[in-house]
Amino acid sequence: MGRNKYPEETVAKILDAALELFCAQGYEGTSIQDIVDRLDGMTKGAVYHHFKSKEEIFNAAFDRAMTPIVEHRRSMLGVGNMTGAQKLKRLYAPESVVPQIELWARMRPAADPVKSSRLLAMQYQGSFDESADGYLLPVIEEGITDGSIACECPREAAEAVSLLANLWLLPLFRPLEPKDRMLARAQCLAQMASAVGLDLGEEVLQTTAQIWDVWDRARW
């Protein structure tokens, strides 16, 4: 079968079909069978050979769709004429975060932490593996080296800020919160980060406001 000879091509077809369906009828409104039906004869067993669950498909489809944004973020972090402190603020600027939230909103996972428990778990793990270790910690360490950041606990600070930014400030898991409450959280996060030597600037407030607006427009 094609999945044995060309596994990358098969995975790409699955993710193409899944992303199209998630964006058209929402994550909750799409089943594994719906995805299989879009795959021209591919069996459900073939899909499960590559992905264990719908949540895993969601995560992979989301990550692939976000590749241009991720590459832009990585190129920005590689710029040599910016300090670590400047890069830290850019990480939380709207252009680095809002496209990700816009895609989540289009795919419409359930705005309920219980229904979205597996996605919540993925977001939690990603806060450590991708956000904290992949982006925040290297930037903080760069800032400590170039003298623009003074932080005595870089790893712990990176993990705490990442968890709060990726869970506490994400409307998906607080769908009924008004905008002023979300902005108050963002302000509190900025103050807590400042207490350990990290200046997130006004970017985190601007980004949170735009994130809330995206979810408000996409409520279902």
Side-chain angles (χ1 to χ4, degrees):
M1 292 180 64
R3 65 182 174 85
N4 295 323
K5 293 177 63 177
Y6 309 106
E8 292 183 2
E9 181 179 320
T10 301
V11 167
K13 288 180 179 178
I14 294 170
L15 297 183
D16 284 342
L19 183 62
E20 181 180 346
L21 286 167
F22 290 152
C23 290
Q25 57 196 47
Y27 173 78
E28 300 300 329
T30 300
S31 66
I32 292 288
Q33 188 61 53
D34 290 332
I35 296 171
V36 171
D37 291 344
R38 287 285 186 100
L39 293 173
D40 298 327
M42 189 180 299
T43 66
K44 186 177 290 188
V47 173
Y48 278 118
H49 175 77
H50 295 284
F51 299 100
K52 297 177 182 178
S53 65
K54 188 174 73 167
E55 291 89 354
E56 194 172 293
I57 295 174
F58 175 96
N59 208 38
F62 179 86
D63 286 347
R64 192 178 66 151
M66 283 297 298
T67 297
I69 300 298
V70 171
E71 291 178 349
H72 171 74
R73 189 181 298 161
R74 286 176 177 164
S75 66
M76 179 271 292
L77 295 181
V79 173
N81 62 352
M82 294 175 64
T83 66
Q86 290 171 325
K87 291 178 181 180
L88 177 62
K89 292 181 180 179
R90 289 286 296 276
L91 276 178
Y92 289 97
E95 62 269 21
S96 294
V97 181
V98 175
Q100 175 179 347
I101 303 304
E102 289 174 336
L103 181 57
W104 269 67
R106 288 177 60 202
M107 297 169 82
R108 302 195 302 280
D112 181 334
V114 176
K115 290 182 179 179
S116 297
S117 58
R118 289 177 65 98
L119 294 179
L120 177 59
M122 291 178 182
Q123 188 76 359
Y124 175 83
Q125 190 61 52
S127 294
F128 287 101
D129 298 340
E130 299 170 21
S131 180
D133 292 345
Y135 295 108
L136 264 177
L137 183 59
V139 165
I140 294 170
E141 290 177 335
E142 182 177 346
I144 292 172
T145 299
D146 66 32
S148 63
I149 293 175
C151 179
E152 296 181 0
C153 50
R155 179 171 294 279
E156 293 74 18
E159 291 176 351
V161 169
S162 177
L163 281 171
L164 291 173
N166 287 303
L167 296 174
W168 196 40
L169 296 186
L170 190 62
L172 171 63
F173 304 116
R174 306 287 296 188
L176 300 179
E177 291 289 324
K179 188 173 186 177
D180 61 342
R181 287 291 305 278
M182 297 302 295
L183 291 175
R185 286 198 182 95
Q187 182 65 55
C188 184
L189 172 58
Q191 292 171 351
M192 289 190 289
S194 178
V196 294
L198 305 181
D199 180 9
L200 303 182
E202 293 297 315
E203 282 80 359
V204 69
L205 293 175
Q206 297 168 3
T207 298
T208 301
Q210 291 190 31
I211 288 173
W212 192 93
D213 289 342
V214 167
W215 280 98
D216 187 54
R217 290 193 299 269
R219 284 185 180 180
W220 49 89

